[in-house]
Amino acid sequence: MNVMVSGVEYWFPVYEMFKQAAQSLGCKTAYTGTPEYDVTKQIASFDQILAKKPAGILVHPMNSDPFIEPINRAVASGVPVVTFAADSPNSKRVSYVTSDNDREGSYAADVIAKAMGGKGEYGVLENPGQDNHDRRVAAFVKRMGEKHPGIKLVARAASNQDPTKAYNAALSMAQANPNLGALFMPEANSALGAAQAAQELGGKIKVMNADVNGKILDMIKGGQVFGAINPNQGMQGYMGFMLLFMAAHPELIDPMNDYKRSGFNPMGVPFVDNGFAVVTKDNADDFYWDAYLKRRGTKGIKE
């Protein structure tokens, strides 16, 4: 399994179930990536794994297009690749597992719109270039425009997963738009800064994001963050491994199609939706990584 910003808590439950699926089939796994938010460095770490000739690679590509060549090179060498959470759709990856980012964005819009009573102003903080984040924001804005015309988009800024940028952007948005009632962002780090700004401005701005970590959960319970849309990370990892295993063992199935003539992997599944949850004060306790790991009695990414 290969990721960027490998210390981000989001990946840990993904790997936990990736690992469990592997163990059930007698396979070994490795958690790899780069600590930086740098696509060149992530590709270098991907290439380092590929050089070891693994049976398959589950990768979260930081950006879609830069990963086309590395993924295609892996597949050409006989190493199947499955993408998760973010995709490289123009590559030869055999499968893609994620929550439906369009549904996530749309659902978040409905939740915020209901809390705002169908009227008001909102802004968005973005991370342009990351496929799943772009989809969430686009779906959120589209849903607001189509279903909640009483709520207007008045500001948007690129925070790029940086809490400080998000904090400054939120303050600037509120200063320019005194009636700002909500902020949406497609990831968790920006919510840390946005929520701090919202509290300093009196706590009237509802902050909603996608993904959770311990800090975000604490802030949801404390009322600083309104709520979060969180993909089912465990199913993402479990199904990610199963898709890889199937792709690595195409001899297990002989379907009635043209896979031999076309060279298509008969075990390829284009897309699997791992689902998502809405995290609020009521259920936040169910999403803490440390409590989950303690309950399972495992060592997480260190195994």
Side-chain angles (χ1 to χ4, degrees), residues 1 3 10-25 29 31 57-59 82-85 96-99 231-245 272-275 292:
M1 176 172 151
V3 300
Y10 178 91
W11 313 124
F12 301 170
V14 179
Y15 184 67
E16 182 70 9
M17 293 305 293
F18 179 81
K19 180 176 55 178
Q20 178 175 315
Q23 291 170 348
S24 71
L25 290 168
T29 61
Y31 179 77
I57 301 174
L58 180 71
V59 62
V82 170
T83 54
F84 77 98
Y96 174 40
V97 56
T98 189
S99 49
N232 189 333
Q233 297 140 290
M235 286 305 297
Q236 207 166 78
Y238 194 92
M239 294 307 300
F241 181 84
M242 297 305 292
L243 292 167
L244 264 188
F245 185 87
V272 170
D273 185 344
N274 54 253
Y292 171 70

Side-chain angles (χ1 to χ4, degrees), residues 189-211:
N189 282 342
S190 293
L192 299 175
Q196 181 183 346
Q199 287 301 297
E200 292 178 8
L201 292 166
K204 296 181 180 180
I205 300 174
K206 300 182 187 303
V207 175
M208 188 163 192
N209 66 284
D211 305 340

Side-chain angles (χ1 to χ4, degrees), residues 116-255:
M116 295 175 71
K119 297 180 180 180
E121 299 177 350
Y122 77 97
V124 294
L125 298 176
E126 306 177 72
N127 179 35
Q130 186 166 318
D131 177 68
N132 58 328
H133 291 179
D134 290 340
R135 287 177 179 272
R136 286 168 177 164
V137 169
F140 186 94
V141 172
K142 181 180 179 181
R143 184 72 168 187
M144 280 296 198
E146 292 178 348
K147 299 295 183 180
H148 311 290
I151 304 177
K152 306 296 183 183
L153 174 62
V154 295
R156 57 197 308 170
S159 54
N160 298 114
Q161 302 193 74
D162 185 325
T164 301
K165 288 183 179 179
Y167 170 80
N168 291 328
L171 290 178
S172 297
M173 288 180 178
Q175 184 176 11
N177 303 279
N179 295 321
L180 187 70
L183 285 169
F184 175 72
M185 55 229 67
E187 38 76 32
N189 282 342
S190 293
L192 299 175
Q196 181 183 346
Q199 287 301 297
E200 292 178 8
L201 292 166
K204 296 181 180 180
I205 300 174
K206 300 182 187 303
V207 175
M208 188 163 192
N209 66 284
D211 305 340
V212 298
N213 55 41
K215 291 182 179 179
I216 292 295
L217 292 169
D218 289 344
M219 296 174 91
I220 290 175
K221 291 175 67 176
Q224 296 98 331
V225 171
F226 176 74
I229 297 289
N230 195 58
N232 189 333
Q233 297 140 290
M235 286 305 297
Q236 207 166 78
Y238 194 92
M239 294 307 300
F241 181 84
M242 297 305 292
L243 292 167
L244 264 188
F245 185 87
M246 291 192 300
H249 296 281
E251 72 280 0
L252 295 175
I253 185 172
D254 182 20

